[in-house]
Amino acid sequence: MARMSREPEDIPAVNLNVYMATFFYSTIKRNGEDYDPNTLQGFFNSIDRYLRDKNYPQSIKTDSEFEETRRVLLARKRKLYSKDNKFKSKTSKTNFPNQSQ
């Protein structure tokens, strides 16, 4: 049986929501490690930008058709943050020269 493929902008919202929720629930790196939560958010933002550029009629960030995708993404990010300290705050601390020197 041949697989049909469609461009994301041609997929109805109800189906795209299922595909995206499944993706964010289960995606891992090729080496089996989890993606950083910020990377998952980056994927989401990139998909949103792509769909907006293609004039997709719904917004994955705000429309109710994509509530499940947003819920799954948020839950996955929370799970990864709480899983261990690997993904805890990675903000860089800039060391400014001491002004009294």
Side-chain angles (χ1 to χ4, degrees):
M1 179 182 215
R3 291 185 88 170
M4 293 179 51
S5 81
R6 299 179 278 181
E7 296 298 323
E9 65 270 20
D10 296 329
I11 301 173
V14 66
N15 300 106
L16 187 57
N17 177 54
V18 171
Y19 300 147
M20 288 177 50
T22 301
F23 171 79
F24 286 114
Y25 179 79
S26 62
T27 192
I28 57 173
K29 295 179 184 180
R30 288 182 183 194
N31 65 4
E33 292 181 8
D34 287 314
Y35 280 105
D36 183 289
N38 292 324
T39 300
L40 294 176
Q41 186 65 49
F43 291 162
F44 181 81
N45 292 338
S46 294
I47 295 166
D48 175 65
R49 185 173 41 254
Y50 174 85
L51 291 172
R52 281 186 289 118
D53 288 348
K54 297 294 184 173
N55 297 312
Y56 197 74
Q58 288 88 19
S59 168
I60 67 171
K61 288 188 173 184
T62 59
D63 286 346
S64 61
E65 291 90 347
F66 292 95
E67 186 175 336
E68 180 71 7
T69 293
R70 293 189 302 270
R71 187 188 62 75
V72 168
L73 175 59
L74 181 61
R76 179 83 187 276
K77 287 169 48 179
R78 285 181 176 161
K79 180 180 177 184
L80 291 171
Y81 279 126
S82 68
K83 188 175 180 179
D84 59 25
N85 289 331
K86 181 177 180 181
F87 298 118
K88 295 291 182 194
S89 179
K90 290 184 176 181
T91 56
S92 63
K93 296 180 181 176
T94 305
N95 294 321
F96 291 100
N98 187 340
Q99 293 184 4
S100 63
Q101 289 180 343

